[in-house]
Structures are given as structure tokens and as C-alpha cells.
Amino acid sequence: MSSRTNLTREDWIHAAQEVLVTSGVDAVRVDTLAKELKITRGSFYYHFKSRGELLEGILGNWRARATEDVILHLRNAHSSPLQQLQRLLELPSHGQTAKDAASIELGIRGWARRDKQARQAIDEVDSHRLSYIEGLLIQAGVPSGDAQDRAYLIYAYQISLSLLHSEDTPQQRLERSQRMAGILIPESCTLPA
């Protein structure tokens, strides 16, 4: 992290996300964060007008990192729609990065159960992710109606992985994701080897 006197907006958001994960949204408070970061509240107000703006920052950062950046990375890999689907299914097996992302996702989903702003962010992200998966399936030759249902199954599978505690090794998780791809993606589509 940058020096304590030069905290960035992203440093505050990252710290707030950690508190969200460990203690819930009610614990995301300016005083608590300033104490945790060992800095005065003035640094916070240099970057944010209010706690509400910080909460918007958490949602925006999550949306960008967990959806936009992932989709952009998959698209920029210049791979086929099926290869993108396979990589998408493998994401939960990417070790600590995947665990951290799942923790933030669960924190935000918990927050969304009682907050309209967080619920709207979840709804937008879910819709965008489902559209992306459905589009990949359609590009791979899956009929539209079937693609929509399969996209929902693929997405539900991925979300459920963040809820399950597994003692599996990364290799076992990767192998499971490959088997699941065989189940969730129609045989009429050829999966990459």
C-alpha cells in the first residue's frame, strides 16, 4: 500500500472492502477505516464527500474488477466463445485470488439483501454476466432459448462455488470445472482440449 500520508481513493475502497468481508457493511465507517489505516479522517474527505460515496465506490470497484475486467480479459485473449466459457468456468479454481473475489462478492450480496443501492448493483452485474455467457453460447451455435437456460445454469454453478467450502486442491477444482463444462455446454459444441 502507498505511504500512509498518500492514501489513494483505491486504498480506502480496498480497506472498506476488507471490512465489508469481515464485519459487514454496517462496520464500514470512516472512523473505523481511519483507525485501521492509521491516518486521520481528513484523508478520507480528500477522496470522498461522504460514507455513501465510499459505498458507491465499493460497488463500482467490484463491478469493474469482478465483471468488466474479467469479460475484457476473456475477450482480449482472442479465443473462441467455447474457450472463453471454459476459462470462465475455471476462474473459481484460481487459488487465493478467486477466494478473495468470492468473499467480496458474498459480502456485497449479503449487503444487497437489505439495501436498494447494493441490490441494484447486483441486479445489473447479474444481468450483464448472464448476457455475456448467453452470447458466448449463441456464438458457439446454441439456440437462443437453450442458451439462456444454459447461461443461467453456468452462472448459478459459478455463484454456488463461492458458497461452498472445499478442501479440494486447485488441480481438483480445475478438473471439476472441466467436467462441469462437459455437462453445462451442449455436446453439439466442441470444447477446447
Side-chain angles (χ1 to χ4, degrees):
M1 189 175 288
S2 61
S3 78
R4 296 289 181 221
T5 57
N6 295 319
L7 288 177
T8 66
R9 180 179 173 87
E10 289 72 30
D11 292 331
W12 281 98
I13 290 171
H14 179 72
Q17 285 175 330
E18 288 180 17
V19 171
L20 173 70
V21 166
T22 60
S23 304
V25 72
D26 292 336
V28 178
R29 298 275 176 215
V30 177
D31 289 336
T32 305
L33 293 171
K35 189 175 183 178
E36 177 121 351
L37 294 169
K38 298 179 174 90
I39 196 162
T40 66
R41 293 167 30 133
S43 171
F44 173 85
Y45 289 108
Y46 178 78
H47 297 292
F48 302 94
K49 292 178 184 166
S50 65
R51 176 179 180 266
E53 190 176 322
L54 172 64
L55 296 177
E56 288 173 20
I58 292 171
L59 294 171
N61 178 277
W62 166 72
R63 183 182 299 122
R65 293 174 55 101
T67 302
E68 301 300 332
D69 291 353
V70 170
I71 290 172
L72 185 63
H73 176 75
L74 290 169
R75 284 184 177 151
N76 287 342
H78 302 293
S79 51
S80 73
L82 288 175
Q83 289 168 324
Q84 289 179 58
L85 281 168
Q86 180 71 43
R87 288 189 181 118
L88 191 64
L89 284 165
E90 292 170 2
L91 286 177
S93 65
H94 287 182
Q96 192 60 45
T97 301
K99 287 180 183 179
D100 292 345
S103 294
I104 293 169
E105 179 108 8
L106 286 174
I108 291 173
R109 287 184 181 280
W111 171 18
R113 285 195 299 262
R114 57 190 182 97
D115 179 87
K116 190 194 295 190
Q117 178 186 17
R119 177 81 258 158
Q120 181 179 348
I122 289 284
D123 291 346
E124 289 169 3
V125 164
D126 287 346
S127 177
H128 188 58
R129 290 174 178 174
L130 283 163
S131 292
Y132 171 68
I133 296 168
E134 182 181 352
L136 291 175
L137 289 164
I138 289 170
Q139 290 174 45
V142 177
S144 182
D146 192 27
Q148 188 175 34
D149 291 341
R150 286 183 186 276
Y152 192 84
L153 279 172
I154 289 168
Y155 189 55
Y157 167 71
Q158 282 201 292
I159 293 296
S160 70
L161 290 177
S162 63
L163 300 172
L164 299 172
H165 176 74
S166 172
E167 295 296 331
D168 292 346
T169 67
Q171 182 61 35
Q172 288 170 320
R173 287 191 298 270
L174 179 63
E175 290 168 359
R176 180 179 296 114
S177 75
Q178 291 168 345
R179 289 190 306 273
M180 290 304 292
I183 294 168
L184 296 169
I185 300 170
E187 289 181 21
S188 60
C189 301
T190 306
L191 284 171

